[in-house]
């Protein structure tokens, strides 16, 4: 009998969750940031979903969010025509970068010295965070709003996806287009995997895999529903996808066989990403929640405890009352996680 998938539900947002990103693995574990239309991006412990803090300052929906590898910096893209850089340890706003229209995408270089942005004004911008007073380098060419802009090839090139139904590979120095893909519909998401230089693109019901440097197609897989986001496992054994039918799908990357599908959300799934260790994947939905799902169901990991028949284990949870007056189960180690942060804590989700 197959074991049942039991996702961890992370509440707290009040509007649809539209983007999420993991940090790399740090001495404190790894972390997860979520972008939401409620304008309040949140930082969580990546393996448990425990809330650490909320970045307060945007005056509009937040469309994009990212962390640097060390989880010391965060960046957000919003409908208030700004991108913001944050200290991810204290929660303080470090920098506000004014734009001419809604910002949809933010991405750090590997050394966190530069920030890449893209949005509805059709312009890709490169900000030198060591010289915030200088004007950003601008790259033009897209004819519609940019949905995603990502560094690739050791930060020497840039990948962008826009509503003009193209994905473009740019040279950072010359700002010229190196390669371009054209589709018969807008791309809904794009993920870049540096290890192996793999690009994951979704459009309609299709999940497509390309070589990120040549933009040569590797394979395409058709899903049962319109897909908004897909993510490839770090070991490239599996990939997951979510979309209009509220489900999360897991496929074997080699055989393209659908292995599992789970319905946990109560709205379309807007974003999905694997954790850096590949042990779980996170999803964000129209229903305002994040959910964490195990890659290998039944494995003891994070808050999931595998109990063999006939054995008893002592619970690692205790009951605590939240500021909202509702009782919830929280891990007894939560207090040590909060010691990492100097956030001015908002209402605890």
């Amino acid at each position: 009998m197959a074991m049942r998938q039991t996702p961890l539900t992370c509440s707290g947002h009040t509007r649809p969750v539209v983007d999420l990103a993991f940090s790399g693995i740090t001495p404190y574990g790894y972390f997860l940031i979520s972008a939401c239309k409620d304008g309040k991006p949140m930082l969580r412990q990546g393996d448990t979903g425990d809330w650490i803090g909320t970045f307060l300052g945007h005056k509009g929906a937040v469309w994009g969010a990212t962390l640097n590898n060390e989880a010391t910096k965060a960046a957000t893209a919003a409908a208030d025509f700004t991108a913001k850089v944050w200290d991810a340890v204290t929660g303080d706003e470090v920098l506000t970068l004014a734009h001419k229209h809604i910002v949809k995408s933010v991405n750090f270089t590997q050394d966190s010295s530069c920030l890449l942005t893209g949005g509805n004004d059709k312009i890709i911008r490169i900000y030198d965070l060591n010289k915030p007073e200088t004007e950003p380098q601008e790259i033009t060419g897209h004819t519609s709003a940019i949905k995603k802009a990502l560094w690739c090839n050791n930060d020497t090139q840039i990948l962008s996806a826009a509503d003009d139904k193209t994905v473009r590979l740019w040279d950072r120095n010359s700002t010229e287009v190196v390669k371009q893909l054209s589709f018969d519909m807008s791309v809904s998401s794009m993920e870049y995997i540096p290890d192996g230089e793999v690009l994951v693109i979704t459009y309609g019901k299709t999940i497509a895999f390309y070589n990120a440097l040549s933009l040569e197609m590797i394979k395409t897989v058709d899903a049962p529903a319109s897909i908004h986001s897909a993510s490839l496992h770090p070991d490239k054994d599996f990939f997951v996808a979510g979309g209009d039918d509220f489900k999360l799908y897991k496929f074997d990357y080699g055989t393209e066989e659908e292995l599992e599908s789970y319905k946990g959300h109560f709205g379309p799934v807007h974003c999905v990403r694997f954790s850096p260790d590949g042990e779980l994947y996170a999803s964000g939905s129209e229903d305002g929640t994040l959910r964490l799902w195990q890659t290998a169901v039944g494995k003891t990991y994070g808050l999931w405890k595998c109990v063999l028949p006939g054995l008893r284990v002592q619970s690692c949870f205790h009951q605590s009352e939240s500021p909202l007056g509702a009782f919830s189960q929280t891990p007894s180690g939560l207090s040590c996680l909060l010691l990492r942060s100097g956030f001015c804590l908002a209402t605890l989700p």
Side-chain angles (χ1 to χ4, degrees):
M1 180 183 296
M3 298 192 72
R4 180 186 176 187
Q5 173 78 265
T6 305
L8 303 177
T9 301
C10 306
S11 58
H13 284 300
T14 58
R15 296 288 306 281
V17 178
V18 292
D19 193 27
L20 57 86
F22 285 99
S23 71
I25 299 174
T26 78
Y28 303 96
Y30 60 87
F31 299 87
L32 172 64
I33 191 172
S34 54
C36 181
K37 290 184 181 180
D38 64 10
K40 297 176 181 179
M42 292 185 177
L43 182 70
R44 299 178 185 271
Q45 189 76 20
D47 59 342
T48 63
D50 288 325
W51 177 76
I52 294 174
T54 299
F55 299 100
L56 301 176
H58 279 298
K59 295 179 174 62
V62 175
W63 287 99
T66 192
L67 293 166
N68 65 351
N69 283 329
E70 297 78 20
T72 56
K73 292 182 180 180
T76 50
D80 60 8
F81 293 17
T82 71
K84 290 182 184 288
V85 178
W86 311 81
D87 185 316
V89 178
T90 65
D92 293 331
E93 180 181 317
V94 176
L95 195 60
T96 295
L97 304 170
H99 288 64
K100 298 176 182 178
H101 213 306
I102 294 170
V103 190
K104 290 288 185 72
S105 178
V106 281
N107 193 228
F108 288 109
T109 50
Q110 293 179 48
D111 63 3
S112 308
S113 65
C114 293
L115 185 73
L116 187 68
T117 71
N120 286 13
D121 63 3
K122 314 168 194 174
I123 299 172
I124 298 168
R125 291 181 174 86
I126 302 172
Y127 290 88
D128 186 340
L129 300 182
N130 295 321
K131 300 176 182 177
E133 70 283 353
T134 61
E135 290 297 313
Q137 181 181 3
E138 295 187 350
I139 301 175
T140 59
H142 279 296
T143 58
S144 292
I146 296 168
K147 287 186 172 179
K148 202 67 148 179
L150 302 171
W151 294 106
C152 72
N153 194 12
N154 294 316
D155 301 333
T156 62
Q157 294 179 312
I158 295 166
L159 288 159
S160 60
D163 283 335
D164 58 13
K165 303 177 184 178
T166 68
V167 168
R168 306 185 190 200
L169 177 67
W170 309 80
D171 180 82
R172 176 180 181 173
N173 293 323
S174 70
T175 71
E176 297 295 323
V177 175
V178 179
K179 298 277 186 178
Q180 178 174 312
L181 297 173
S182 297
F183 301 89
D184 57 4
M185 64 184 73
S186 290
V187 168
S188 53
S189 75
M190 183 172 68
E191 179 188 49
Y192 168 63
I193 312 295
D195 183 12
E197 301 291 349
V198 180
L199 184 63
V200 186
I201 295 172
T202 61
Y203 55 93
K205 295 183 178 181
T206 301
I207 306 156
F209 300 87
Y210 289 83
N211 179 287
L213 303 184
S214 66
L215 293 192
E216 294 293 326
M217 181 186 289
I218 299 171
K219 66 173 72 179
T220 63
V221 179
D222 290 329
S226 181
I227 296 298
H228 294 168
S229 182
S231 184
L232 180 61
H233 189 275
D235 293 336
K236 303 174 187 64
D237 297 327
F238 317 102
F239 64 93
V240 293
D244 274 348
D245 64 354
F246 306 6
K247 286 186 176 182
L248 271 295
Y249 293 92
K250 179 182 173 184
F251 295 85
D252 184 289
Y253 180 69
T255 66
E256 304 172 17
E257 176 189 1
E258 181 187 320
L259 302 176
E260 302 162 346
S261 65
Y262 301 109
K263 186 174 181 180
H265 284 290
F266 297 96
V269 177
H270 292 309
C271 45
V272 59
R273 284 292 178 269
F274 269 107
S275 62
D277 62 1
E279 292 288 350
L280 61 82
Y281 48 98
S283 58
S285 168
E286 184 77 15
D287 66 14
T289 67
L290 288 159
R291 293 175 194 257
L292 305 182
W293 311 77
Q294 280 191 286
T295 303
V297 179
K299 184 176 181 179
T300 294
Y301 181 82
L303 299 184
W304 290 283
K305 304 298 177 185
C306 180
V307 182
L308 298 176
L311 294 179
R312 293 182 62 191
V313 296
Q314 185 175 356
S315 174
C316 64
F317 294 90
H318 69 275
Q319 295 289 335
S320 66
E321 188 173 2
S322 78
L324 298 179
F327 282 88
S328 61
Q329 286 192 321
T330 58
S332 56
L334 178 60
S335 59
C336 69
L337 299 179
L338 295 180
L339 289 176
R340 177 184 182 271
S341 166
F343 280 87
C344 294
L345 298 181
T347 303
L348 181 64

